[in-house]
Amino acid sequence: MKFLIITHVQHKLDGKIISAYGPYVREMNLWLKHVDEVQIVAPIVLENKNAIDLDYKHSNFSFKKIPSIQFTSIKKAFISLIRIPFIFMTIFQACRKADHIHLRCPGNIGLLGCLVQIFFPNKIKTAKYAGNWDSRAKQPLSYRFQKWMLTNTFFTKNMTALVYGDWQNKTQNIKSFFTATYSKSEIEVPKIRDYSKSLEFLFIGSLVEGKRPMQAIKIIESLHKQGRKVSLNLYGEGILKEALQNYIDINKLKEVVRLYGNKEKRVVKEALKRAHFLILPSKSEGWPKAVAEAMFFGTIPIVTSISCVPFMLDYGERGILIESDLNIAVNTIKSQLEDKEELQLISNRASTWSQNYTLDTFEDEIIKLLKP
């Protein structure tokens, strides 16, 4: 089988070695174990591989470089419009040679892939929609268009679209899915946490506006000022890093809040085994991997009630759902901290649920999707 991946994810080349964002590549390598030939159509970034990146693993591999496109300014939009015909034809030629077309959505390249796949109604296709599938969510027009294309069985044929969460009124080609980080061999009984002493919180994710790391810091700052023994360790990189560090310095939070940047999987794993809570006050999510990873080891997630997160947390039985308002979020967390026995039960329920979603189970589901 000739397997084609069309994605906006930026890749890095080092000779014949191709790498990209680790969680994405870890997932794709499971797909690639079961195909004969792989081609990727994606942008290249001229940067060195960092701690969070992983290499693709396949013996028969080809890569077709395309430019990235952005519409965040008039200049970038103009350049992108010039690039679109070339990208469109590159994707078209790749689809013509492929046996299985795999789209990564939402994203500008995924949008073009949604359009190109119309010309190949008889080819087997899958699409991974990694964003928020909730129709009520406020999203860019391009995201809503991709959702419409994936659900439109007139234009989109032989397609299985994988979405996070179980939503009503979905078309027959939409399949509720999940993602995973750990294997069955990594399942272990979570440690019993002591919720009566100092509490360790984690933030794991990109330091960008959508993930709202500043909100996480302010929540911990508020708890600290109220006399709670708390700490917050943030793992990730992003454009807000300098602003976050400045805020920590100005507000004298160095002993409470620490930025660790991107770290290898094993480092994050050990942090998850130790911490009491993961805090992720995002504006939007698909299936937040950091949340499922935290739950795997009994770390209680504290997350805004968005996308499929309420389903993941069983509407508060497996974690703490908060509002985006700072004061309301702090008060919700404070009230939950009072019941130490219930926190232990939440931790147990979280790990029991998350340990059902292993890489082994994920791979079994992928094999089913790849069958003609």
Side-chain angles (χ1 to χ4, degrees):
M1 175 193 293
K2 295 180 180 178
F3 187 76
L4 170 66
I5 305 170
I6 300 167
T7 178
H8 64 279
V9 174
Q10 294 183 324
H11 289 62
K12 300 171 183 178
L13 300 184
D14 183 7
K16 294 183 178 181
I17 299 174
I18 304 172
S19 62
Y21 179 60
Y24 155 77
V25 174
R26 187 178 296 112
E27 176 186 321
M28 290 315 307
N29 279 338
L30 293 178
W31 292 77
L32 304 190
K33 285 170 63 176
H34 306 283
V35 301
D36 305 308
E37 185 178 337
V38 183
Q39 183 174 42
I40 296 180
V41 177
I44 289 289
V45 60
L46 299 177
E47 296 177 2
N48 293 326
K49 178 180 172 183
N50 61 40
I52 203 170
D53 293 328
L54 287 178
D55 301 337
Y56 284 95
K57 296 178 181 178
H58 201 278
S59 59
N60 192 355
F61 210 104
S62 63
F63 190 94
K64 190 65 179 178
K65 179 176 67 173
I66 55 172
S68 60
I69 52 177
Q70 299 180 44
F71 296 88
T72 53
S73 68
I74 294 175
K75 180 179 179 181
K76 289 180 179 178
F78 179 74
I79 294 172
S80 295
L81 288 172
I82 295 173
R83 290 172 171 175
I84 282 176
F86 168 75
I87 298 171
F88 189 94
M89 289 308 301
T90 301
I91 294 174
F92 184 91
Q93 292 296 335
C95 287
R96 189 171 60 83
K97 298 175 184 177
D99 298 316
H100 186 120
I101 300 168
H102 182 70
L103 306 179
R104 304 296 294 195
C105 300
N108 291 326
I109 304 303
L111 187 152
L112 293 177
C114 285
L115 294 173
V116 172
Q117 63 82 28
I118 296 173
F119 298 95
F120 302 93
N122 297 320
K123 298 215 175 202
I124 299 172
K125 312 178 198 86
T126 49
K128 175 70 174 292
Y129 192 91
N132 185 354
W133 191 257
D134 190 347
S135 59
R136 299 166 298 179
K138 293 182 180 180
Q139 294 182 322
L141 177 61
S142 63
Y143 283 29
R144 286 183 277 133
F145 177 77
Q146 287 168 74
K147 285 183 180 180
W148 179 79
M149 281 296 299
L150 293 175
T151 56
N152 190 311
T153 53
F154 177 79
F155 290 113
T156 303
K157 299 184 183 300
N158 278 335
M159 168 78 78
T160 302
L162 311 174
V163 307
Y164 295 137
D166 192 7
W167 306 100
Q168 294 181 343
N169 303 319
K170 61 186 179 184
T171 50
Q172 191 174 3
N173 67 321
I174 303 300
K175 180 179 176 62
S176 297
F177 217 60
F178 63 98
T179 190
T181 302
Y182 301 110
S183 64
K184 286 182 180 178
S185 63
E186 293 176 280
I187 291 177
E188 57 185 67
V189 177
K191 63 174 283 190
I192 303 297
R193 272 87 166 174
D194 186 347
Y195 298 99
S196 63
K197 298 181 180 178
S198 180
L199 301 175
E200 180 181 348
F201 293 73
L202 299 179
F203 174 97
I204 301 172
S206 300
L207 304 181
V208 296
E209 185 59 36
K211 297 288 186 180
R212 302 177 81 204
M214 184 67 81
Q215 183 82 337
I217 292 175
K218 288 181 177 180
I219 288 172
I220 298 306
E221 179 186 21
S222 180
L223 292 172
H224 171 64
K225 286 183 175 179
Q226 293 175 32
R228 300 273 180 174
K229 292 183 179 180
V230 293
S231 64
L232 173 65
N233 298 322
L234 295 93
Y235 293 91
E237 295 285 350
I239 59 173
L240 295 180
K241 186 174 183 178
E242 183 177 350
L244 297 175
Q245 188 61 62
N246 288 339
Y247 186 88
I248 293 167
D249 294 341
I250 291 170
N251 292 279
K252 298 179 173 58
L253 296 172
K254 288 183 179 180
E255 300 302 316
V256 179
V257 182
R258 296 178 179 85
L259 301 177
Y260 284 95
N262 286 335
K263 295 296 180 182
E264 296 175 355
K265 177 186 172 183
R266 60 178 179 80
V267 176
V268 176
K269 180 178 176 180
E270 290 304 314
L272 288 170
K273 288 182 180 182
R274 180 183 66 246
H276 297 84
F277 302 95
L278 172 94
I279 185 164
L280 192 64
S282 302
K283 291 182 178 179
S284 181
E285 287 288 352
W287 176 287
K289 274 191 173 183
V291 172
E293 290 167 5
M295 296 169 75
F296 197 91
F297 297 109
T299 300
I300 297 174
I302 302 173
V303 199
T304 38
S305 185
I306 50 172
S307 185
C308 68
V309 169
F311 160 76
M312 294 176 72
L313 272 57
D314 194 19
Y315 306 93
E317 294 295 309
R318 295 189 287 255
I320 301 172
L321 294 168
I322 58 173
E323 299 295 327
S324 57
D325 180 86
L326 176 62
N327 291 328
I328 296 175
V330 171
N331 288 333
T332 299
I333 295 168
K334 280 173 57 182
S335 65
Q336 291 279 351
L337 294 180
E338 297 304 318
D339 193 339
K340 310 298 188 295
E341 291 184 4
E342 178 61 19
L343 289 174
Q344 189 58 61
L345 291 174
I346 292 174
S347 172
N348 294 340
R349 289 192 290 260
S351 62
T352 299
W353 177 83
S354 185
Q355 288 177 3
N356 288 314
Y357 295 95
T358 62
L359 289 171
D360 311 76
T361 306
F362 186 72
E363 186 171 358
D364 290 342
E365 293 298 319
I366 288 172
I367 291 171
K368 296 175 186 176
L369 294 167
L370 289 171
K371 287 182 179 178

